[in-house]
Amino acid sequence: MIDFAVAPITLIIIVTIALVSVSALWVDRSLVDRLKLVPSLRAQPYRWVSSAFVHTGFWHLFVNVFTLYFFGPPLEYWMGSVNYLLLYAGSMLACSAVTCVLYRRDPGYSAVGASGAVVGVVFGFCLFRPFEVLYFFGLLPIPAIAFAVLFVAGSLWAVRTRRLPGIAHEGHLGGAAGGVILTAVLEPQVVASFLRQLGL
């Protein structure tokens, strides 16, 4: 059982995402349109944040909350709640920024979901514990650093080939970059620790 006494920010984020997403999915579907990120609507910058709290379906919501449930608390414990919140928010904004730059001239493009911020959390975790065993697709045990490399490679492949449509791969890469950069800036000692664990 996760101890949220040492991870209050993670708990608040999960509860907020769940409440907003459930409301959008089963109470007021218009919330999706009002909150989603639409890069062409440059006069509505609030969507850079609001879009991260709404999801398109149960599994979309479940995967993000499930991932944050396991990776958020240890990272918040290691970084402290303030730095963790800065990391989460910064990764979310990095995801939105990349999406808006790439799709600013596409009025038909929109995106929702917390995955950019959640990916930032996962990559921050990987900096602290590069050889922690993760389960790829819930089945294949691999070290965290291998997961990070596979994730980036897979996302770049999907962007280049335009395979796996309907997933904001570019935004995920933005969130990943935000997570790595912000973890290194907010917790500079983690860089030396990361390199030491790699034997460098």
Side-chain angles (χ1 to χ4, degrees):
M1 180 66 68
I2 301 295
D3 181 8
F4 283 110
V6 298
I9 298 300
T10 301
L11 178 60
I12 291 170
I13 292 171
I14 286 175
V15 170
T16 303
I17 289 172
L19 288 175
V20 175
S21 293
V22 167
S23 296
L25 287 170
W26 291 291
V27 179
D28 182 4
R29 291 291 300 185
S30 71
L31 272 177
V32 175
D33 288 330
R34 299 206 305 270
L35 300 180
K36 67 184 180 182
L37 181 65
V38 183
S40 61
L41 296 178
R42 301 177 197 177
Q44 299 180 359
Y46 72 88
R47 292 176 182 268
W48 284 40
V49 174
S50 64
S51 59
F53 292 91
V54 64
H55 292 76
T56 56
F58 172 78
W59 287 110
H60 186 205
L61 170 63
F62 175 79
V63 168
N64 280 331
V65 168
F66 182 79
T67 303
L68 189 59
Y69 175 82
F70 283 104
F71 288 92
L75 187 62
E76 184 175 350
Y77 175 73
W78 299 329
M79 296 185 72
S81 292
V82 173
N83 281 354
Y84 173 80
L85 178 59
L86 292 173
L87 165 70
Y88 187 91
S91 299
M92 174 179 60
L93 293 175
C95 170
S96 295
V98 169
T99 302
C100 284
V101 167
L102 294 176
Y103 293 99
R104 65 191 182 280
R105 294 189 179 91
D106 184 352
Y109 186 88
S110 64
V112 296
S115 51
V118 172
V119 168
V121 168
V122 173
F123 272 66
F125 179 98
C126 291
L127 275 185
F128 276 91
R129 295 288 190 275
F131 292 105
E132 186 83 10
V133 175
L134 309 181
Y135 287 88
F136 198 50
F137 291 114
L139 299 171
L140 178 65
I142 59 172
I145 190 170
F147 169 82
V149 170
L150 287 171
F151 181 89
V152 170
S155 296
L156 289 172
W157 171 81
V159 169
R160 182 175 180 181
T161 62
R162 299 191 179 279
R163 301 288 179 89
L164 304 177
I167 301 174
H169 302 288
E170 299 92 344
H172 290 172
L173 290 170
V180 170
I181 293 168
L182 286 166
T183 301
V185 169
L186 295 168
E187 302 287 335
Q189 77 283 355
V190 80
V191 176
S193 172
F194 175 79
L195 294 174
R196 188 165 55 249
Q197 291 180 73
L198 294 184
L200 301 175

